[in-house]
Coordinates of all heavy atoms in Angstrom, one line a residue:
M60 N 0.8 -1.2 0.0 CA 0.0 0.0 0.0 C 0.9 1.2 0.0 O 1.9 1.3 0.7 CB -0.9 0.0 1.2 CG -2.0 -0.9 1.2 SD -3.1 -0.5 2.6 CE -4.4 -1.6 2.2
G61 N 0.4 2.3 -0.7 CA 1.2 3.5 -0.7 C 1.0 4.3 0.5 O 0.0 4.0 1.3
S62 N 1.8 5.2 0.8 CA 1.7 6.0 2.0 C 0.6 7.1 1.8 O 0.4 7.6 0.7 CB 3.0 6.7 2.3 OG 3.3 7.7 1.3
L63 N -0.1 7.4 2.8 CA -1.2 8.3 2.8 C -0.7 9.7 3.3 O -0.3 9.8 4.4 CB -2.3 7.8 3.6 CG -3.6 8.7 3.7 CD1 -4.2 8.8 2.3 CD2 -4.6 8.1 4.7
H64 N -0.7 10.6 2.4 CA -0.2 12.0 2.8 C -1.2 13.0 2.3 O -1.6 13.1 1.2 CB 1.1 12.3 2.1 CG 1.6 13.7 2.4 ND1 2.0 14.1 3.6 CD2 1.7 14.8 1.6 CE1 2.3 15.4 3.5 NE2 2.1 15.8 2.3
L65 N -1.7 13.7 3.3 CA -2.7 14.8 3.0 C -2.1 16.1 3.6 O -1.9 16.1 4.8 CB -4.0 14.4 3.6 CG -5.2 15.3 3.2 CD1 -5.4 15.3 1.7 CD2 -6.5 14.9 3.9
D66 N -1.9 17.1 2.8 CA -1.3 18.3 3.2 C -2.3 19.0 4.2 O -3.4 19.4 3.7 CB -1.0 19.2 2.0 CG -0.2 20.5 2.4 OD1 0.0 20.7 3.6 OD2 0.2 21.2 1.4
P67 N -1.9 19.3 5.4 CA -2.8 20.0 6.3 C -3.3 21.4 5.9 O -4.4 21.8 6.1 CB -2.0 20.1 7.6 CG -0.9 19.1 7.5 CD -0.7 18.9 6.1
F68 N -2.4 22.0 5.1 CA -2.8 23.4 4.6 C -3.9 23.2 3.6 O -4.9 24.0 3.6 CB -1.6 24.0 4.0 CG -1.9 25.4 3.4 CD1 -2.1 26.5 4.2 CD2 -2.0 25.5 2.0 CE1 -2.4 27.7 3.7 CE2 -2.3 26.8 1.5 CZ -2.5 27.9 2.3
V69 N -3.8 22.3 2.7 CA -4.9 22.0 1.7 C -6.2 21.7 2.4 O -7.3 22.2 2.0 CB -4.5 21.0 0.7 CG1 -5.6 20.6 -0.2 CG2 -3.3 21.4 -0.1
V70 N -6.1 20.9 3.4 CA -7.3 20.5 4.2 C -7.9 21.7 4.8 O -9.2 22.0 4.8 CB -7.1 19.4 5.2 CG1 -8.3 19.1 6.1 CG2 -6.6 18.1 4.5
A71 N -7.1 22.5 5.4 CA -7.6 23.8 6.1 C -8.2 24.7 5.1 O -9.2 25.3 5.4 CB -6.4 24.4 6.8
V72 N -7.6 24.8 3.9 CA -8.2 25.7 2.9 C -9.5 25.2 2.4 O -10.5 26.0 2.3 CB -7.2 25.8 1.7 CG1 -7.9 26.5 0.5 CG2 -6.0 26.6 2.1
I73 N -9.7 23.9 2.2 CA -10.9 23.3 1.8 C -12.0 23.5 2.9 O -13.1 24.0 2.6 CB -10.8 21.8 1.5 CG1 -9.9 21.7 0.2 CG2 -12.1 21.2 1.3 CD1 -9.5 20.2 -0.1
I74 N -11.7 23.3 4.1 CA -12.6 23.5 5.2 C -13.0 24.9 5.4 O -14.1 25.3 5.5 CB -12.1 22.9 6.5 CG1 -12.0 21.4 6.4 CG2 -12.9 23.3 7.7 CD1 -11.3 20.7 7.6
G75 N -12.0 25.8 5.3 CA -12.2 27.2 5.4 C -13.1 27.8 4.3 O -14.0 28.6 4.5
M76 N -12.8 27.3 3.1 CA -13.6 27.8 1.9 C -15.1 27.2 2.0 O -16.0 27.9 1.6 CB -13.0 27.4 0.6 CG -11.7 28.2 0.3 SD -11.9 30.0 0.4 CE -13.0 30.3 -0.9
S77 N -15.2 26.0 2.5 CA -16.5 25.4 2.7 C -17.3 26.2 3.7 O -18.5 26.6 3.5 CB -16.4 24.0 3.1 OG -15.8 23.2 2.2
A78 N -16.7 26.6 4.8 CA -17.3 27.4 5.8 C -17.7 28.8 5.3 O -18.8 29.3 5.5 CB -16.4 27.5 7.1
A79 N -16.7 29.4 4.5 CA -17.0 30.7 4.0 C -18.1 30.7 3.0 O -19.0 31.6 2.9 CB -15.7 31.3 3.3
T80 N -18.2 29.6 2.2 CA -19.2 29.5 1.2 C -20.6 29.3 1.9 O -21.6 30.0 1.5 CB -19.0 28.3 0.3 OG1 -17.7 28.5 -0.4 CG2 -20.1 28.0 -0.7
Y81 N -20.6 28.5 3.0 CA -21.9 28.3 3.7 C -22.3 29.7 4.3 O -23.5 30.0 4.2 CB -21.7 27.3 4.8 CG -22.9 27.1 5.6 CD1 -24.0 26.4 5.1 CD2 -23.1 27.7 6.8 CE1 -25.2 26.3 5.8 CE2 -24.2 27.6 7.6 CZ -25.3 26.9 7.1 OH -26.4 26.8 7.8
V82 N -21.4 30.4 5.0 CA -21.8 31.6 5.7 C -22.3 32.6 4.7 O -23.3 33.3 4.9 CB -20.6 32.1 6.5 CG1 -20.8 33.6 7.0 CG2 -20.3 31.2 7.7
T83 N -21.5 32.7 3.5 CA -21.9 33.7 2.5 C -23.3 33.3 1.9 O -24.1 34.2 1.8 CB -20.9 33.7 1.4 OG1 -19.6 34.0 1.9 CG2 -21.2 34.7 0.3
K84 N -23.5 32.1 1.7 CA -24.8 31.7 1.1 C -25.9 31.9 2.1 O -27.0 32.4 1.8 CB -24.8 30.2 0.6 CG -26.1 29.8 -0.1 CD -25.9 28.5 -0.7 CE -27.2 28.1 -1.5 NZ -27.1 26.9 -2.2
A85 N -25.7 31.5 3.3 CA -26.7 31.7 4.4 C -27.1 33.2 4.6 O -28.2 33.5 4.7 CB -26.3 31.0 5.7
G86 N -26.0 34.0 4.6 CA -26.3 35.4 4.8 C -26.9 36.0 3.6 O -27.8 36.9 3.7
G87 N -26.5 35.6 2.4 CA -27.2 36.1 1.2 C -28.6 35.7 1.1 O -29.5 36.5 0.7
L88 N -28.9 34.4 1.5 CA -30.3 33.9 1.5 C -31.2 34.7 2.5 O -32.3 35.0 2.2 CB -30.4 32.4 1.7 CG -29.9 31.6 0.6 CD1 -29.9 30.1 1.0 CD2 -30.7 31.7 -0.7
W89 N -30.6 35.0 3.6 CA -31.3 35.8 4.7 C -31.6 37.2 4.1 O -32.7 37.6 4.2 CB -30.4 35.9 5.9 CG -31.0 36.8 6.9 CD1 -32.0 36.5 7.8 CD2 -30.7 38.2 7.2 NE1 -32.3 37.6 8.6 CE2 -31.5 38.6 8.2 CE3 -29.8 39.1 6.6 CZ2 -31.5 39.9 8.7 CZ3 -29.8 40.4 7.0 CH2 -30.6 40.8 8.1
L90 N -30.6 37.8 3.5 CA -30.8 39.1 2.9 C -31.8 39.1 1.7 O -32.7 39.9 1.6 CB -29.5 39.7 2.4 CG -29.5 41.1 1.7 CD1 -30.0 42.1 2.7 CD2 -28.2 41.4 1.2
L91 N -31.7 38.1 0.9 CA -32.5 38.0 -0.3 C -34.0 37.6 0.1 O -34.9 37.9 -0.7 CB -32.0 37.1 -1.3 CG -30.7 37.5 -2.0 CD1 -30.1 36.4 -2.9 CD2 -30.9 38.8 -2.8
G92 N -34.1 37.1 1.2 CA -35.5 36.8 1.7 C -36.3 38.0 2.1 O -37.5 38.0 2.2
R93 N -35.6 39.1 2.1 CA -36.2 40.4 2.5 C -36.4 41.3 1.3 O -37.0 42.4 1.5 CB -35.4 41.1 3.6 CG -35.6 40.4 4.9 CD -34.4 40.5 5.8 NE -34.6 39.9 7.1 CZ -34.9 38.7 7.4 NH1 -35.0 37.8 6.5 NH2 -35.0 38.2 8.7
I94 N -35.9 40.9 0.1 CA -36.1 41.8 -1.1 C -36.6 40.8 -2.2 O -36.4 39.6 -2.1 CB -34.8 42.5 -1.5 CG1 -33.7 41.5 -1.8 CG2 -34.4 43.5 -0.5 CD1 -32.5 42.1 -2.4
N95 N -37.2 41.4 -3.2 CA -37.7 40.7 -4.4 C -36.6 40.6 -5.4 O -36.1 41.7 -5.8 CB -39.0 41.3 -4.9 CG -40.1 41.2 -4.0 OD1 -40.2 40.2 -3.3 ND2 -41.0 42.1 -4.0
I96 N -36.3 39.4 -5.9 CA -35.4 39.3 -7.0 C -36.0 38.4 -8.1 O -37.0 37.7 -7.8 CB -34.0 38.6 -6.6 CG1 -34.3 37.2 -6.0 CG2 -33.3 39.5 -5.6 CD1 -33.0 36.4 -5.7
S97 N -35.5 38.5 -9.3 CA -36.0 37.7 -10.4 C -35.6 36.2 -10.3 O -34.7 35.9 -9.6 CB -35.5 38.2 -11.7 OG -34.1 37.9 -11.9
D98 N -36.4 35.4 -10.9 CA -36.1 33.9 -10.9 C -34.7 33.6 -11.5 O -34.0 32.8 -11.0 CB -37.1 33.1 -11.7 CG -38.5 33.1 -10.9 OD1 -38.5 33.4 -9.7 OD2 -39.5 32.9 -11.6
R99 N -34.3 34.4 -12.5 CA -33.0 34.2 -13.2 C -31.9 34.5 -12.2 O -30.9 33.8 -12.1 CB -33.0 35.0 -14.4 CG -31.8 34.8 -15.2 CD -31.8 35.6 -16.5 NE -30.6 35.3 -17.3 CZ -30.5 35.7 -18.5 NH1 -31.4 36.5 -19.1 NH2 -29.4 35.4 -19.2
T100 N -32.0 35.6 -11.5 CA -31.0 36.0 -10.5 C -30.9 35.0 -9.4 O -29.8 34.6 -9.0 CB -31.3 37.4 -9.9 OG1 -31.4 38.4 -11.0 CG2 -30.3 37.8 -8.9
E101 N -32.0 34.5 -8.9 CA -32.0 33.5 -7.9 C -31.3 32.2 -8.3 O -30.6 31.6 -7.6 CB -33.5 33.2 -7.4 CG -33.5 32.2 -6.3 CD -34.9 32.0 -5.8 OE1 -35.9 32.7 -6.2 OE2 -35.1 31.2 -4.9
A102 N -31.6 31.8 -9.6 CA -31.0 30.6 -10.1 C -29.5 30.7 -10.2 O -28.7 29.8 -9.9 CB -31.6 30.2 -11.5
G103 N -29.0 31.9 -10.6 CA -27.6 32.2 -10.7 C -26.9 32.2 -9.4 O -25.8 31.6 -9.2
L104 N -27.6 32.7 -8.4 CA -27.0 32.8 -7.0 C -26.9 31.4 -6.4 O -26.0 31.1 -5.7 CB -27.8 33.7 -6.1 CG -27.7 35.2 -6.4 CD1 -28.7 36.0 -5.6 CD2 -26.3 35.6 -6.2
E105 N -27.9 30.5 -6.8 CA -27.8 29.1 -6.3 C -26.6 28.3 -6.8 O -26.2 27.4 -6.2 CB -29.1 28.4 -6.6 CG -30.3 28.9 -5.7 CD -31.6 28.2 -6.0 OE1 -31.6 27.4 -6.9 OE2 -32.6 28.6 -5.4
M106 N -26.2 28.7 -8.0 CA -25.0 28.0 -8.6 C -23.7 28.5 -8.2 O -22.7 27.9 -8.4 CB -25.1 28.1 -10.2 CG -26.2 27.4 -10.8 SD -25.9 25.6 -10.5 CE -27.5 24.9 -10.7
L107 N -23.7 29.7 -7.6 CA -22.4 30.3 -7.2 C -21.5 29.5 -6.3 O -20.3 29.4 -6.6 CB -22.7 31.7 -6.6 CG -21.5 32.7 -6.5 CD1 -20.9 32.9 -7.8 CD2 -22.0 34.0 -5.9
P108 N -22.0 28.9 -5.2 CA -21.0 28.2 -4.4 C -20.3 27.0 -5.1 O -19.1 26.9 -4.9 CB -21.9 27.6 -3.3 CG -23.1 28.5 -3.2 CD -23.3 29.0 -4.6
G109 N -21.0 26.3 -5.9 CA -20.4 25.2 -6.7 C -19.3 25.8 -7.6 O -18.2 25.2 -7.8
A110 N -19.6 26.9 -8.3 CA -18.7 27.5 -9.2 C -17.4 28.0 -8.5 O -16.3 27.9 -9.0 CB -19.4 28.7 -9.9
I111 N -17.6 28.5 -7.3 CA -16.4 29.0 -6.5 C -15.5 27.8 -6.2 O -14.3 27.9 -6.3 CB -16.9 29.8 -5.3 CG1 -17.5 31.1 -5.7 CG2 -15.7 30.0 -4.3 CD1 -18.2 31.8 -4.5
I112 N -16.1 26.7 -5.7 CA -15.4 25.5 -5.3 C -14.6 25.0 -6.5 O -13.5 24.6 -6.5 CB -16.3 24.5 -4.7 CG1 -16.8 25.0 -3.3 CG2 -15.6 23.2 -4.5 CD1 -17.9 24.3 -2.7
I113 N -15.3 24.9 -7.7 CA -14.7 24.4 -8.9 C -13.5 25.3 -9.3 O -12.4 24.8 -9.7 CB -15.7 24.3 -10.0 CG1 -16.6 23.1 -9.7 CG2 -15.0 24.1 -11.4 CD1 -17.8 23.0 -10.7
S114 N -13.7 26.6 -9.2 CA -12.6 27.5 -9.6 C -11.4 27.4 -8.6 O -10.2 27.6 -9.0 CB -13.0 28.9 -9.6 OG -13.3 29.4 -8.3
I115 N -11.6 26.9 -7.4 CA -10.5 26.8 -6.5 C -9.8 25.4 -6.7 O -8.6 25.3 -6.7 CB -11.0 26.9 -5.0 CG1 -11.4 28.4 -4.8 CG2 -9.9 26.5 -4.0 CD1 -12.2 28.5 -3.5
L116 N -10.6 24.4 -6.8 CA -10.1 23.0 -6.9 C -9.7 22.6 -8.3 O -9.0 21.6 -8.5 CB -11.1 22.0 -6.3 CG -11.4 22.2 -4.8 CD1 -12.4 21.2 -4.4 CD2 -10.1 22.1 -4.0
G117 N -10.2 23.3 -9.3 CA -9.9 22.9 -10.7 C -8.4 22.9 -11.1 O -8.0 21.9 -11.7
P118 N -7.7 23.9 -10.7 CA -6.2 23.8 -10.9 C -5.5 22.6 -10.3 O -4.6 22.1 -10.8 CB -5.7 25.2 -10.4 CG -6.9 26.1 -10.4 CD -8.1 25.2 -10.2
E119 N -6.0 22.3 -9.1 CA -5.4 21.1 -8.4 C -5.7 19.8 -9.2 O -4.9 18.9 -9.3 CB -6.0 20.9 -7.0 CG -5.4 21.9 -6.0 CD -3.9 21.7 -5.8 OE1 -3.5 20.5 -5.7 OE2 -3.2 22.7 -5.7
L120 N -6.9 19.8 -9.8 CA -7.3 18.6 -10.5 C -6.5 18.5 -11.8 O -6.2 17.3 -12.2 CB -8.8 18.7 -10.9 CG -9.4 17.4 -11.6 CD1 -9.2 16.2 -10.7 CD2 -10.9 17.7 -11.8
T121 N -6.2 19.6 -12.5 CA -5.4 19.5 -13.7 C -4.0 18.9 -13.5 O -3.5 18.3 -14.4 CB -5.3 20.9 -14.4 OG1 -4.6 21.8 -13.5 CG2 -6.6 21.4 -14.8
S122 N -3.5 19.0 -12.3 CA -2.1 18.5 -12.1 C -2.3 17.1 -11.3 O -1.3 16.6 -10.9 CB -1.3 19.5 -11.3 OG -1.9 19.7 -10.0
G123 N -3.5 16.7 -11.0 CA -3.7 15.5 -10.3 C -3.5 14.2 -11.1 O -3.5 14.2 -12.3
G124 N -3.5 13.1 -10.4 CA -3.4 11.8 -11.0 C -4.7 11.0 -11.0 O -5.7 11.6 -10.8
P125 N -4.6 9.7 -11.1 CA -5.8 8.9 -11.1 C -6.6 9.0 -9.9 O -7.8 8.9 -9.9 CB -5.2 7.5 -11.3 CG -3.9 7.6 -11.9 CD -3.4 9.0 -11.4
A126 N -6.0 9.1 -8.7 CA -6.7 9.2 -7.5 C -7.6 10.5 -7.4 O -8.8 10.4 -7.0 CB -5.8 9.2 -6.3
E127 N -7.0 11.6 -7.9 CA -7.8 12.8 -7.9 C -8.9 12.8 -8.9 O -10.0 13.3 -8.7 CB -6.8 14.0 -8.1 CG -5.9 14.3 -7.0 CD -4.7 13.3 -6.9 OE1 -4.4 12.6 -7.8 OE2 -4.1 13.3 -5.8
W128 N -8.6 12.3 -10.1 CA -9.6 12.2 -11.1 C -10.8 11.2 -10.7 O -11.9 11.5 -11.0 CB -9.0 11.8 -12.5 CG -8.4 12.9 -13.1 CD1 -7.0 13.3 -13.1 CD2 -9.0 14.0 -13.9 NE1 -6.8 14.4 -13.8 CE2 -8.0 14.9 -14.3 CE3 -10.3 14.2 -14.3 CZ2 -8.2 16.0 -15.0 CZ3 -10.6 15.4 -15.0 CH2 -9.5 16.3 -15.4
G129 N -10.4 10.1 -10.0 CA -11.4 9.2 -9.5 C -12.3 9.9 -8.5 O -13.5 9.7 -8.5
A130 N -11.7 10.7 -7.6 CA -12.4 11.4 -6.6 C -13.3 12.5 -7.2 O -14.4 12.7 -6.8 CB -11.5 12.1 -5.6
A131 N -12.8 13.1 -8.3 CA -13.7 14.1 -9.0 C -14.9 13.4 -9.6 O -16.0 14.0 -9.5 CB -12.9 14.7 -10.1
A132 N -14.7 12.2 -10.1 CA -15.9 11.4 -10.6 C -16.9 11.1 -9.5 O -18.1 11.2 -9.7 CB -15.4 10.1 -11.3
V133 N -16.4 10.8 -8.3 CA -17.2 10.5 -7.1 C -18.0 11.8 -6.8 O -19.2 11.7 -6.5 CB -16.4 10.0 -5.9 CG1 -17.2 10.0 -4.7 CG2 -15.8 8.6 -6.2
V134 N -17.3 12.9 -6.8 CA -18.0 14.2 -6.4 C -19.1 14.5 -7.4 O -20.2 14.9 -7.0 CB -16.9 15.4 -6.4 CG1 -17.6 16.7 -6.4 CG2 -16.0 15.2 -5.2
L135 N -18.8 14.3 -8.7 CA -19.9 14.6 -9.7 C -21.1 13.6 -9.5 O -22.2 14.1 -9.6 CB -19.3 14.4 -11.1 CG -18.3 15.5 -11.6 CD1 -17.7 15.1 -12.9 CD2 -19.0 16.8 -11.6
L136 N -20.8 12.4 -9.3 CA -21.9 11.4 -9.1 C -22.7 11.8 -7.8 O -23.9 11.8 -7.9 CB -21.3 10.0 -8.9 CG -22.4 8.9 -8.7 CD1 -23.3 8.8 -9.9 CD2 -21.7 7.6 -8.4
V137 N -22.0 12.1 -6.7 CA -22.7 12.4 -5.5 C -23.5 13.7 -5.7 O -24.7 13.8 -5.2 CB -21.8 12.5 -4.3 CG1 -22.5 13.0 -3.1 CG2 -21.2 11.1 -4.0
M138 N -22.9 14.7 -6.3 CA -23.6 16.0 -6.5 C -24.8 15.8 -7.4 O -25.9 16.4 -7.2 CB -22.6 17.0 -7.2 CG -23.1 18.4 -7.3 SD -23.5 19.0 -5.6 CE -24.7 20.3 -6.1
W139 N -24.7 15.0 -8.5 CA -25.8 14.7 -9.4 C -27.0 14.0 -8.6 O -28.1 14.4 -8.8 CB -25.3 13.9 -10.5 CG -26.4 13.4 -11.4 CD1 -27.3 14.2 -12.2 CD2 -26.7 12.0 -11.7 NE1 -28.1 13.4 -12.9 CE2 -27.8 12.1 -12.7 CE3 -26.2 10.8 -11.3 CZ2 -28.4 10.9 -13.2 CZ3 -26.8 9.7 -11.9 CH2 -27.8 9.7 -12.8
R140 N -26.6 13.1 -7.7 CA -27.7 12.3 -7.0 C -28.3 13.1 -5.8 O -29.4 13.0 -5.6 CB -27.1 11.0 -6.6 CG -26.6 10.1 -7.7 CD -27.7 9.6 -8.5 NE -28.5 8.6 -7.8 CZ -29.6 8.1 -8.2 NH1 -30.1 8.3 -9.3 NH2 -30.2 7.2 -7.4
S141 N -27.4 13.8 -5.1 CA -27.8 14.4 -3.8 C -28.2 15.9 -4.0 O -28.9 16.5 -3.2 CB -26.8 14.3 -2.7 OG -25.7 15.1 -3.0
E142 N -27.5 16.6 -5.0 CA -27.7 18.0 -5.2 C -27.2 18.8 -3.9 O -27.8 19.8 -3.6 CB -29.1 18.4 -5.6 CG -29.5 17.8 -7.0 CD -30.8 18.3 -7.4 OE1 -31.5 19.1 -6.7 OE2 -31.3 17.7 -8.5
N143 N -26.3 18.2 -3.2 CA -25.8 18.8 -2.0 C -24.3 19.0 -2.1 O -23.5 18.0 -2.1 CB -26.1 17.9 -0.8 CG -25.8 18.6 0.5 OD1 -24.8 19.2 0.7 ND2 -26.7 18.4 1.5
V144 N -23.8 20.3 -2.2 CA -22.4 20.6 -2.4 C -21.6 20.0 -1.2 O -20.5 19.4 -1.4 CB -22.2 22.1 -2.6 CG1 -20.7 22.4 -2.6 CG2 -22.9 22.6 -3.8
L145 N -22.0 20.2 0.0 CA -21.2 19.8 1.2 C -21.0 18.3 1.2 O -19.9 17.8 1.4 CB -21.8 20.3 2.5 CG -21.1 20.0 3.7 CD1 -19.6 20.6 3.7 CD2 -21.8 20.5 4.9
V146 N -22.1 17.6 1.0 CA -22.0 16.1 1.0 C -21.1 15.7 -0.1 O -20.2 14.8 0.0 CB -23.4 15.5 0.8 CG1 -23.3 14.0 0.6 CG2 -24.2 15.8 2.1
A147 N -21.2 16.3 -1.3 CA -20.3 15.9 -2.4 C -18.9 16.2 -2.1 O -18.0 15.3 -2.4 CB -20.7 16.7 -3.7
L148 N -18.6 17.3 -1.5 CA -17.2 17.6 -1.1 C -16.6 16.6 -0.1 O -15.5 16.2 -0.2 CB -17.1 19.0 -0.6 CG -17.1 20.1 -1.6 CD1 -17.1 21.5 -0.9 CD2 -16.0 20.0 -2.6
L149 N -17.4 16.3 0.9 CA -17.0 15.3 1.9 C -16.7 14.0 1.3 O -15.7 13.3 1.6 CB -18.0 15.3 3.0 CG -18.2 16.5 3.9 CD1 -19.3 16.3 4.9 CD2 -16.9 16.8 4.6
C150 N -17.6 13.6 0.4 CA -17.4 12.3 -0.3 C -16.1 12.3 -1.2 O -15.4 11.4 -1.3 CB -18.6 11.9 -1.1 SG -20.0 11.4 -0.2
G151 N -15.9 13.5 -1.8 CA -14.7 13.6 -2.6 C -13.4 13.6 -1.8 O -12.4 12.9 -2.2
V152 N -13.4 14.2 -0.6 CA -12.2 14.1 0.3 C -12.0 12.7 0.7 O -10.9 12.1 0.7 CB -12.4 15.0 1.5 CG1 -11.3 14.8 2.5 CG2 -12.3 16.5 1.1
A153 N -13.1 12.0 1.1 CA -12.9 10.6 1.5 C -12.5 9.7 0.3 O -11.6 8.8 0.5 CB -14.3 10.1 2.0
A154 N -13.0 10.0 -0.8 CA -12.6 9.2 -2.0 C -11.1 9.4 -2.4 O -10.4 8.4 -2.7 CB -13.5 9.6 -3.2
V155 N -10.7 10.6 -2.3 CA -9.2 10.9 -2.7 C -8.3 10.2 -1.7 O -7.3 9.6 -2.0 CB -8.9 12.3 -2.9 CG1 -8.7 13.1 -1.6 CG2 -7.7 12.5 -3.8
L156 N -8.7 10.2 -0.4 CA -7.9 9.5 0.6 C -7.9 8.0 0.4 O -6.8 7.4 0.4 CB -8.5 9.8 2.0 CG -8.3 11.2 2.5 CD1 -9.0 11.4 3.8 CD2 -6.8 11.6 2.7
L157 N -9.0 7.5 0.1 CA -9.1 6.0 -0.2 C -8.4 5.7 -1.5 O -7.6 4.7 -1.5 CB -10.6 5.6 -0.3 CG -10.9 4.2 -0.6 CD1 -10.5 3.3 0.6 CD2 -12.4 4.0 -0.9
F158 N -8.6 6.4 -2.5 CA -7.9 6.1 -3.8 C -6.4 6.3 -3.7 O -5.6 5.5 -4.2 CB -8.4 7.0 -4.9 CG -9.8 6.7 -5.3 CD1 -10.6 7.7 -5.9 CD2 -10.5 5.5 -5.0 CE1 -11.9 7.5 -6.3 CE2 -11.8 5.3 -5.4 CZ -12.5 6.3 -6.0
R159 N -5.9 7.3 -2.9 CA -4.5 7.5 -2.8 C -3.9 6.3 -2.0 O -2.7 6.0 -2.2 CB -4.2 8.8 -2.1 CG -4.3 10.0 -2.9 CD -4.0 11.2 -2.2 NE -4.1 12.4 -3.0 CZ -4.0 13.6 -2.6 NH1 -3.8 13.9 -1.3 NH2 -4.1 14.7 -3.4
S160 N -4.6 5.7 -1.1 CA -4.1 4.6 -0.3 C -4.0 3.3 -1.2 O -3.2 2.4 -0.8 CB -4.9 4.3 0.9 OG -6.2 3.8 0.6
F161 N -4.7 3.2 -2.3 CA -4.7 2.0 -3.1 C -4.0 2.2 -4.4 O -3.6 1.2 -5.1 CB -6.1 1.5 -3.4 CG -6.8 0.9 -2.2 CD1 -7.8 1.6 -1.5 CD2 -6.3 -0.3 -1.6 CE1 -8.4 1.0 -0.4 CE2 -6.9 -0.8 -0.5 CZ -8.0 -0.1 0.1
I162 N -3.9 3.4 -4.9 CA -3.3 3.7 -6.2 C -1.8 4.1 -6.1 O -1.5 4.9 -5.3 CB -4.1 4.7 -7.0 CG1 -5.5 4.2 -7.3 CG2 -3.4 5.1 -8.3 CD1 -6.4 5.2 -8.0

């Protein structure tokens, strides 16, 4: 089995960005609940957290190997089935750890 190495800084960044995304979305939803917005604007705002996460993790994926690409596939599958960004990210972290230990 290969050695399992996960950079604590990367984990901290992922957790921090997840928390920032949640707080931003929750605050935005609270604020937007008090004003009227169009359906198109609301749909765009709902996609924003996922887009931010992809823009942060995308460059890491381009330099990643089979474990990272496999974990990305897990994230896409979980996101498609659950429509929950946080659950998809947690499954992706678990998948990359698992794949790195076997690949």
